[in-house]
């Protein structure tokens, strides 16, 4: 088994029921430690070298930070290279899963973040606005990593991420107008004037999803055609697997190097912003997981739906906040605190999901895994 591939390849029910964490490599088992170390390293670098953030942020393609884009591409490519694209039609035919994901992502998620932002930050309009924007940016990037680590359904994740990408282009601006101007007006609350560039959204989707998706599809297509499925699954994928986690750690270092000064000089602001985010991630994951389980989606698809609903596209949220309100704005700070809270929380939720898997689906793990690696 590849060092960073958390899926079980054994067909033995007895082996599959063994503790999941005992089967992980040292890199995987101590992933939270490496992530925390990467966050600390990024903050230290940002503080020790004040000009570093400016140099990193100055290298952009459109509104996308090039170092972050490189890290995300390295992180997402191996995951998307593992997807069995010939099976996507089966996943797309699961209307219950698709409908559940759409409702969670585009109705419940933004509404929940709106409510939490107003409950926790009624006196801080800039931070509140930034959080609402974070809630509108549905995850199309890191969710693939969390889903893979939690042994979710890769094919389902690819479909749901693609759907989120399309909806993001079509609905982000409309939802921003609704939650920042229309709904607050109806409720007698303060409104916010904000213009969202469709170009910013399109560039974000194309860079963070389009490039690794095309690369993954072409790699599997030509790799299997040239060498066969066995070679591709058993020899090629294990070699590129660790790149995903290295890309994740690099991305975290860059993100926190960019905002290390802001985070360390405004600790109370970070705490105020973190509270509604913690509530959001816990509620979205819990509700989504319970909903999927109740509908009988099975562990793998339920985990995928839950992580897709709980995660957010903080890259897009940060880009929009900076583009509309400025790099030093409270809105931008709220966007930056997003990954500060999301990364460790969702890593913890990976372990929660794996624990749930051992309790609710010990007998089905084997058959599901056998189908995935067949």
């Amino acid at each position: 088994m590849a060092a960073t591939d958390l899926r079980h390849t054994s067909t033995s029910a007895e082996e599959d029921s063994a503790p999941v964490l005992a089967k992980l490599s040292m890199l995987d088992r101590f992933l939270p430690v490496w992530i925390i170390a990467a966050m600390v390293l990024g903050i230290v670098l940002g503080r020790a070298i004040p000009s570093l953030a400016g140099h990193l942020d100055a290298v952009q393609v459109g509104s996308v930070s090039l170092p972050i884009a490189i890290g995300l591409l390295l992180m997402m490519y191996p995951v998307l290279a593992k997807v069995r694209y010939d099976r996507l039609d089966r996943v797309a035919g699961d209307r219950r899963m698709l409908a559940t994901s759409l409702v969670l992502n585009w109705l419940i998620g933004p509404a929940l973040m709106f409510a939490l932002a107003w409950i926790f930050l009624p006196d801080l309009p800039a931070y509140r606005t930034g959080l609402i924007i974070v809630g509108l940016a549905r995850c199309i990037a890191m969710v693939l990593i969390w889903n893979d680590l939690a042994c979710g359904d890769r094919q389902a994740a690819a479909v749901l991420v693609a759907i989120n990408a399309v909806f993001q282009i079509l609905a982000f601006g409309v939802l921003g107008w609704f939650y920042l101007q229309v709904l607050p007006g109806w409720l007698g609350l303060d409104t916010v004037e904000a213009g969202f560039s469709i170009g910013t959204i399109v560039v974000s989707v194309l860079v963070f999803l389009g490039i690794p998706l095309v690369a993954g599809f072409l790699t599997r297509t030509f790799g299997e055609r040239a060498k066969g499925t066995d070679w591709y699954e058993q020899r090629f994928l294990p070699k590129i697997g660790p790149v995903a986690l290295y890309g994740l750690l690099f991305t975290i270092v860059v993100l926190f190097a960019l905002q290390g000064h802001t985070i360390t000089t405004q600790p109370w602001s970070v705490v105020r912003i973190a509270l509604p985010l913690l509530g959001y991630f816990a509620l979205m994951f819990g509700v989504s997981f319970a909903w999927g389980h109740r509908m009988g989606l099975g562990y793998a698809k339920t985990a995928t739906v839950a992580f897709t609903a709980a995660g957010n596209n903080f890259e897009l949220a940060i880009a929009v906040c900076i583009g509309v309100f400025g790099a030093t704005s409270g809105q931008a700070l709220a966007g930056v605190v997003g990954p500060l809270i999301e990364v460790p929380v969702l890593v913890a939720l990976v372990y929660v999901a794996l624990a749930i898997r051992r309790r609710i689906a010990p007998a089905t793990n084997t058959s599901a895994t056998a189908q995935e690696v067949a």
Side-chain angles (χ1 to χ4, degrees), residues 77 81 215-233 236-237:
Y77 165 68
F217 173 77
L218 293 177
T219 300
R220 176 171 282 276
T221 299
F222 290 107
E224 289 185 332
R225 187 177 300 173
K227 297 284 189 176
T229 301
D230 289 342
W231 173 88
Y232 187 85
E233 295 280 353
F236 179 72
L237 289 182

Side-chain angles (χ1 to χ4, degrees), residues 28 70 127 133 151 180-181 236 251 257 270 349 369 373:
D28 294 320
I70 292 173
Y127 298 160
I133 293 173
C151 302
L180 294 177
Q181 297 182 37
F236 179 72
T251 303
V270 171
L349 289 176
T369 301
V373 301

Side-chain angles (χ1 to χ4, degrees), residues 193-269:
E193 293 290 336
F196 299 100
S197 168
I198 189 67
T200 296
I201 301 169
V202 171
V203 169
S204 175
V205 171
L206 289 178
V207 170
F208 296 131
L209 176 62
I211 293 175
L213 180 61
V214 171
F217 173 77
L218 293 177
T219 300
R220 176 171 282 276
T221 299
F222 290 107
E224 289 185 332
R225 187 177 300 173
K227 297 284 189 176
T229 301
D230 289 342
W231 173 88
Y232 187 85
E233 295 280 353
Q234 298 175 18
R235 298 187 62 182
F236 179 72
L237 289 182
K239 290 182 178 179
I240 67 170
V243 174
L245 292 186
Y246 298 147
L248 171 64
L249 297 176
F250 173 78
T251 303
I252 292 171
V253 171
V254 173
L255 275 172
F256 286 87
L258 286 170
Q259 298 295 335
H261 178 76
T262 303
I263 291 170
T264 55
T265 56
Q266 302 184 44
W268 179 239
S269 296

Side-chain angles (χ1 to χ4, degrees), residues 58-73:
V59 185
Q60 295 187 352
V61 178
S63 60
V64 179
S65 170
L66 186 58
I68 292 177
I70 292 173
L72 286 170
L73 293 178

